[in-house]
Amino acid sequence: MSILSAPLLLLCALLSLQFLILDGFQSNPLVLPLTHSLSHSQNPNFTVLHHLKSCSLRSAAHHRHRRHLPDRRKQVSLPLSPGSDYTFTISVGAPSAPTVVTLYMDTGSDVVWFPCSPFECILCEGKPSYPFATPPPAPPSASRPVICGSAACSAAHSGLPASDLCAVAACSLDDIETSSCSAPCPPFYYAYGDGSLIARLRRGPLSLPGSAVPAAASSAAALHLKNFTFACAHSALAEPVGVAGFGRGPLSLPAQLAALSPSLASRFSYCLVSHSFKSDRLLRPSPLILGRTETKPSEPDQDPPFVYTPLLHNPKHPYFYSVGLESLSVGPSRIPASSILRSVDRKGNGGMVVDSGTTFTMLPSDTYTNLANEFDRQMSRAGFERAAEAAEDEIWLRPCYYYEDRKQWRRRVPGLALHFSGNASVALPRRNYFMGVESGGRRLGCLMVQSGGDASGEEDYGGPAGTLGNFQQQGFEVVYDLQAKRVGFARRHCWALWEEMSRA
């Protein structure tokens, strides 16, 4: 979601001298618990229907933001309601007096930031985590500002040269010419689909709690990083919770871990426990696995193997995990995807982003229309009654159908599969694209895929054509193989995978 473009190798070379990892964890995976935002929502008035509408709005905002990156300040929208997000915790500051910070896990952005006192959050009323139970921490005393001449500062400011940044920081010409300016990096602006912030870069200790596999005698603080680059935000718009960017940019969490221990960051995965917006289905966390080991070909009594699709290079937005979507299947019918979904051009247009921070899958209007029409044709043929337009407008999803909660009716809903480049086909569980909800005293089910609009004629268009949302990723282990430049999908019982990977 940001536009960082500094050379990764230079930043990694600088950071690699500054990290410390506990003995014994260099080659073992690290498992962190992801908690769904629904688990700690405090608003009893939010029903499944409210969550569906909220997530529809947020998904559209995220996708619209990406499609208008050159003019992103005009695209910020402010749905003041919870979405479908996943968080985990880190510890910042000196190990003797750490501060625990909760962050959203986001593969669609590329910087790690959190609120620091004093902190002002504009239009944050109504957010599930606001007002804060405890005030944000002050900038960790064990951390220090990043200087304006560093590669990290250049990365945060979209690749601006150090000389320009040092001039903004009011360095003298002498210091700029001799590369001796030690002024702090100027604050930078960062925008998401539903919020924005201004932050300053700092560098200091960070710990990732979790379980090493196999677990050590003590896993209370499994991983320590002596000098980690993060951002302290003192003001934000509609975004009171910090974010851990897992994108491909040089300031993302995996990129910084790669400088420390390549085995931890060359392959990471997560497996999102299926929830259907019901908190009682989230009794176990979703595992986030850093350093996911390569699995062997599946045997009949083992888990299904991964199917892989290659990552596409985006020259304008290299931090996105973009893949090519070739077609979709509704029941026996194959629907070709728009050509813009299959590849990325030299201007950064096209492809589908695999994103943990967007709820519902977004498709270009022509592909979505073909999908929805075929889905409607097969649902009507199966005897489903199309819902009233008012009901569809209320939920912000369509097409929707009335149905009774009977097994024979559920079996009549046609299957939906995504076919990615590299011969990678992903058949979605029915609950990932058609879910029942009470509306107006009747049970309603909708196709949980959205139209991302049409880019034709938009002069400022320059981003992904589609987004694969986290709701459609439920029940799959999704692995990001950075070394082989590919993304993989495999059906899993995610709660069982958590038990297996976190067991001592």
Side-chain angles (χ1 to χ4, degrees), residues 124 144 225 262 269 291 307 337 348 356 396 406 432 439 445 459 470 476:
C124 283
R144 62 190 184 280
L225 299 101
S269 71
V307 294
S356 68
W396 276 68
R406 297 184 305 196
N432 284 26
S439 176
E459 294 181 0
N470 62 47
F476 289 89

Side-chain angles (χ1 to χ4, degrees), residues 289-314:
I289 307 169
L290 303 175
R292 183 63 162 128
T293 53
E294 181 78 51
T295 55
K296 297 179 180 180
S298 177
E299 296 178 2
D301 59 341
Q302 293 181 331
D303 288 329
F306 286 100
V307 294
Y308 290 99
T309 183
L311 284 169
L312 303 176
H313 174 62
N314 189 318

Side-chain angles (χ1 to χ4, degrees), residues 389-456:
E389 186 175 342
E392 294 180 337
D393 289 343
E394 181 183 14
I395 206 168
W396 276 68
L397 291 168
R398 66 186 64 218
C400 297
Y401 305 87
Y402 297 116
Y403 79 105
E404 296 180 22
D405 190 18
R406 297 184 305 196
K407 290 184 178 180
Q408 60 267 34
W409 279 72
R410 289 200 300 268
R411 284 197 295 266
R412 293 179 187 174
V413 177
L416 177 61
L418 309 175
H419 306 287
F420 297 100
S421 58
N423 199 30
S425 293
V426 179
L428 299 180
R430 188 168 289 109
R431 62 178 175 269
N432 284 26
Y433 64 91
F434 190 82
M435 190 191 81
V437 61
E438 293 291 335
S439 176
R442 300 187 68 179
R443 193 158 184 81
L444 192 70
C446 303
L447 177 64
M448 301 172 76
V449 177
Q450 293 182 262
S451 172
D454 188 356
S456 60

Side-chain angles (χ1 to χ4, degrees), residues 135-205:
S141 58
S143 66
R144 62 190 184 280
V146 169
I147 63 171
C148 61
S150 69
C153 185
S154 180
H157 286 273
S158 308
L160 288 176
S163 56
D164 290 1
L165 294 169
C166 288
V168 173
C171 298
S172 69
L173 182 59
D174 248 1
D175 288 341
I176 294 174
E177 293 294 346
T178 58
S179 301
S180 58
C181 180
S182 58
C185 179
F188 65 92
Y189 169 78
Y190 203 103
Y192 294 92
D194 52 356
S196 60
L197 62 132
I198 294 177
R200 285 185 177 272
L201 285 185
R202 299 184 69 87
R203 186 168 292 159

Side-chain angles (χ1 to χ4, degrees), residues 320-331:
F320 286 143
Y321 294 105
S322 297
V323 298
L325 180 68
E326 296 185 344
S327 61
L328 306 95
S329 291
V330 178

